[in-house]
């Protein structure tokens, strides 16, 4: 079932991406989609209302119209959101946004990296890590940083399937296993 949901999400994302590419604004459309998906994902009440069969279609449409006024999307994204509602796919909005972003990243030759450190990284360290990841991947890297004090020290970077673990916790664990063997 999840694979089917992902497949459906990718199809909708591809259709929107193709529209955006034709209009020359895939990134702007992606930002609007992210805002709309964020509103949807962050409101339990909104999700429950739109996914509840008790509410009539016109009631749901009125709610989505209000959300769209708040998000102020382009006509393309407005029509897209209403199409998702009409086809009972509005619940796929966050997955569609992720699939769309992946398509934009591929189109623009970039990758996303999740970088976790024991302490917040200053701008210099972030720049060094970003440049190292760009050399390693051969692509532009967009970094998302987070802090995990359990790392003790060092950094863990994830870019797709690639995991670069330079944390002190892992180094200590490796050293401990070598000593025991």
């Amino acid at each position: 079932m999840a694979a089917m949901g992902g497949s459906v999400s990718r199809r909708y994302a591809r259709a929107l991406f193709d529209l955006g590419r034709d209009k020359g604004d895939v990134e702007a459309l992606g930002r609007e989609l992210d805002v709309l998906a964020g509103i949807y994902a962050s409101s339990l009440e909104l999700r429950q209302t739109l996914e509840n069969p008790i509410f009539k279609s016109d009631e749901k449409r009125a709610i989505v119209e209000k959300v769209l006024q708040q998000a102020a999307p382009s006509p393309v994204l407005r029509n897209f959101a209403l199409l998702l509602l009409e086809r009972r796919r509005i619940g796929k909005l966050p997955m569609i946004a992720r699939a769309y972003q992946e398509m934009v990243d591929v189109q623009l030759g970039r990758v996303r990296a999740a970088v976790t450190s024991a302490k917040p990284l200053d701008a210099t360290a972030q720049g060094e890590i970003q440049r190292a990841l760009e050399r390693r991947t051969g692509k532009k890297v967009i970094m998302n940083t987070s802090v995990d004090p359990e790392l003790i020290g060092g950094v863990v970077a994830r870019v797709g399937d690639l995991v670069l673990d330079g944390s002190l916790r892992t180094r200590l664990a490796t050293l401990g296993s070598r000593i025991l063997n």
Side-chain angles (χ1 to χ4, degrees):
M1 184 89 136
M4 189 172 114
S7 172
V8 167
S9 299
R10 280 190 298 280
R11 280 199 313 268
Y12 278 97
R14 170 59 61 194
L16 184 62
F17 180 81
D18 290 345
L19 277 172
R21 194 177 48 211
D22 291 348
K23 294 186 176 297
D25 61 356
V26 291
E27 282 193 284
L29 208 50
R31 285 189 295 273
E32 290 178 6
L33 183 59
D34 283 343
V35 167
L36 197 56
I39 291 169
Y40 180 83
S42 66
S43 174
L44 178 62
E45 185 180 5
L46 177 63
R47 290 192 314 272
Q48 288 175 338
T49 302
L50 294 179
E51 293 171 15
N52 190 332
I54 291 176
F55 293 96
K56 295 180 180 141
S57 294
D58 57 338
E59 292 172 316
K60 291 178 184 181
R61 184 180 174 97
I63 291 167
V64 170
E65 291 277 6
K66 270 192 172 173
V67 170
L68 289 169
Q69 286 173 359
Q70 184 184 7
S74 62
V76 169
L77 194 61
R78 179 188 177 282
N79 292 339
F80 182 75
L82 292 172
L83 176 73
L84 290 177
L85 179 67
E86 179 185 307
R87 294 197 176 163
R88 295 188 180 110
R89 301 284 195 205
I90 198 80
K92 304 264 184 242
L93 197 53
M95 288 175 65
I96 292 168
R98 273 193 302 277
Y100 185 93
Q101 190 59 62
E102 289 171 8
M103 290 173 193
V104 172
D105 288 346
V106 168
Q107 170 88 13
L108 299 177
R110 62 187 186 201
V111 292
R112 296 187 181 266
V115 176
T116 307
S117 58
K119 295 181 179 157
L121 298 170
D122 62 24
T124 303
Q126 284 186 28
E128 288 173 7
I129 292 168
Q130 183 171 4
R131 284 188 294 283
L133 291 172
E134 287 175 347
R135 281 192 305 274
R136 181 79 184 248
T137 62
K139 297 182 178 190
K140 170 90 175 104
V141 172
I142 298 172
M143 283 189 0
N144 179 17
T145 59
S146 61
V147 174
D148 180 0
E150 290 186 13
L151 292 180
I152 305 169
V155 173
V156 176
R158 286 180 176 80
V159 182
D161 293 339
L162 175 66
V163 177
L164 303 170
D165 191 340
S167 67
L168 188 53
R169 179 180 66 191
T170 299
R171 289 180 189 167
L172 289 172
T174 303
L175 181 61
S177 70
R178 283 185 187 157
I179 291 171
L180 292 174
N181 291 330

